[in-house]
Amino acid sequence: MSKFLSAAASSVVALAIATSASAQTAPAAAPAAAAISHGPALPGVCILSTPSVVGGSQVGKAVTARLQTITQQVNAELGGERTALENEGKALDAKKATTAQDALEQQAAALQVKANAWQRKGQLRQREVEATEQKALARVYQEMDTPIKQAYQAAKCSILFDRESVMLANPAMDITSAVVTALDARIKTLTFDRERLDQQVPGAAALQPSNK
């Protein structure tokens, strides 16, 4: 019993790791590179890093903070239930010498059912956090569309490249900071709760933008 509960408990750790990693909307900072000299900026050629826009914008930071809070709430919920299961398992182990075998087996089977249910719940919560992140980030990218077009036109771009697919480029062609500024002027935060995949209903409350 203790061995099973120990294995089942690992899902909480996995959830914490997975959701903590996924909540990071900006890529990890790369090691400082040696300074290089660029050729002249190409007229009409622009580059943009959308992950950097998400990570540097006020709304992106708000989404990251909210996802981290939701993850902490989920881990607190599952962690409390895990502790209760472990304590019940220890209590059952302590009764081995004084309880009939049939009664022990029945109680162990009941505890196994609870542990299985807890494991399924942990898997559900992980899917819910992932779905929440996907929905929130999709909204951020939707809000980003107009600022990208504004910065594109302001810089007189003729073509826009994804910075993540370009090995090197003259920073003068990068409109990322301009998009961040325009996005901050458009929206500053999103209000949302964890998705509930076990009780989906039509017309669920949509994410609500706020400029406060």
Side-chain angles (χ1 to χ4, degrees):
M1 183 61 61
S2 299
K3 182 178 179 181
F4 172 81
L5 288 175
S6 176
S10 66
S11 67
V12 170
V13 178
L15 175 62
I17 294 174
T19 52
S20 177
S22 65
Q24 301 302 316
T25 54
I36 62 173
S37 298
H38 296 279
L42 300 177
V45 178
C46 299
I47 58 174
L48 169 71
S49 171
T50 52
S52 294
V53 173
V54 175
S57 65
Q58 293 184 45
V59 65
K61 292 175 182 177
V63 166
T64 296
R66 179 58 181 152
L67 287 171
Q68 290 173 342
T69 297
I70 290 174
T71 299
Q72 292 167 357
Q73 293 171 343
V74 166
N75 284 326
E77 174 191 7
L78 295 176
E81 294 175 2
R82 177 195 61 191
T83 299
L85 286 170
E86 290 175 341
N87 289 339
E88 192 171 342
K90 291 176 183 177
L92 186 58
D93 286 339
K95 295 193 299 183
K96 285 182 178 179
T98 58
T99 306
Q101 186 63 30
D102 288 349
L104 279 173
E105 290 177 356
Q106 291 177 358
Q107 293 176 42
L111 182 54
Q112 180 80 49
V113 170
K114 291 181 182 178
N116 289 343
W118 178 84
Q119 216 174 17
R120 290 192 299 271
K121 184 176 184 179
Q123 293 166 353
L124 173 65
R125 290 291 180 265
Q126 181 166 349
R127 293 195 301 271
E128 288 177 338
V129 172
E130 291 170 351
T132 303
E133 178 190 18
Q134 291 170 4
K135 186 174 181 179
L137 290 180
R139 179 57 186 275
V140 174
Y141 277 96
Q142 177 185 344
E143 294 289 344
M144 200 187 302
D145 183 66
T146 297
I148 289 176
K149 292 176 180 176
Q150 291 173 341
Y152 179 93
Q153 291 179 320
K156 294 182 171 56
C157 302
S158 297
I159 189 170
L160 180 61
F161 289 105
D162 179 2
R163 194 171 76 188
E164 276 59 50
S165 64
V166 175
M167 185 174 294
L168 289 171
N170 189 319
M173 299 186 295
D174 195 324
I175 64 171
T176 300
S177 61
V179 174
V180 170
T181 299
L183 183 59
D184 284 346
R186 179 180 178 85
I187 184 172
K188 291 180 172 56
T189 191
L190 282 178
T191 300
F192 59 93
D193 294 315
R194 190 185 79 238
E195 292 293 299
R196 300 307 206 265
L197 300 182
D198 55 348
Q199 49 183 351
Q200 291 282 16
V201 293
L207 298 173
Q208 301 175 1
S210 172
N211 289 309
K212 295 181 179 180

